[in-house]
Amino acid sequence: MNKDFKYCKESRVMRTSRVFPNDVNNHNTLFGGRLMSDIDQVASISAAKHSRKDCVTASTDSVDFLHPIRPTDSVYFESYVTWTGRSSMEVFVKVISENLKTGERKVAATALLTFVALDENNKPALVPRVIPETVEETKLHQTASERAKARAERKKESKALAQFISMNDPWDYRLEMMENYM
């Protein structure tokens, strides 16, 4: 059943995990790359639940690390679709740490990612619009169009920059320098 609209809650994903010794860096806090991988995983499930299609990560707009996550903490992830374009979906992820001994909870990180839904031919597919209900969902939904404009501009700038990025091996820099002077 394909609906034109879906509520944010229909794409909500919640997951809780522990921090183990192999998950921490030399500061004895959760390794940022590990957290980013977990964020992408839960966000991808939200995108798939919303679209009911295969989805790919188009961009990670932001990951803001607000508080360190320690081995004494559990890590709670919550994600949901906040806004949609034609085939794209913005997904918000909040990360809450909880000290398992004291019960103290903190918003440890927030993230915004964009996914694109794909049809059976791996082409962009239409997605339902999203309806926010809570104060948090409404705030994110209302501010999403500005973030979408910023994403489009950033992508345009990245494509322009890519024209100047060398694909030569580092040891071939002399060839590139000679090409520039000829």
Side-chain angles (χ1 to χ4, degrees), residues 74-123:
S74 67
V75 187
Y76 169 78
F77 298 87
E78 183 178 336
S79 64
Y80 54 89
V81 174
T82 61
W83 181 85
T84 60
R86 288 181 47 80
S87 61
S88 63
M89 296 161 280
E90 180 186 79
V91 180
F92 173 69
V93 182
K94 61 181 161 184
V95 180
I96 298 173
S97 64
E98 180 178 344
N99 183 303
L100 293 171
K101 295 187 184 202
T102 67
E104 180 184 10
R105 295 172 55 119
K106 293 180 181 175
V107 176
T110 59
L112 287 158
L113 299 88
T114 303
F115 289 82
V116 173
L118 302 175
D119 66 14
E120 54 281 344
N121 297 314
N122 289 329
K123 301 291 182 202

Side-chain angles (χ1 to χ4, degrees), residues 33 42 46 79:
V42 297
S46 286
S79 64

Side-chain angles (χ1 to χ4, degrees), residues 117-160:
L118 302 175
D119 66 14
E120 54 281 344
N121 297 314
N122 289 329
K123 301 291 182 202
L126 295 176
V127 297
R129 288 188 267 179
V130 68
I131 301 171
E133 295 178 288
T134 69
V135 172
E136 178 182 287
E137 292 167 357
T138 301
K139 176 67 171 173
L140 288 163
H141 184 76
Q142 287 173 342
T143 55
S145 62
E146 287 302 313
R147 287 190 298 276
K149 287 178 193 168
R151 270 192 297 278
E153 186 60 32
R154 209 171 41 247
K155 185 175 182 179
K156 189 171 135 184
E157 291 170 6
S158 291
K159 283 185 175 186

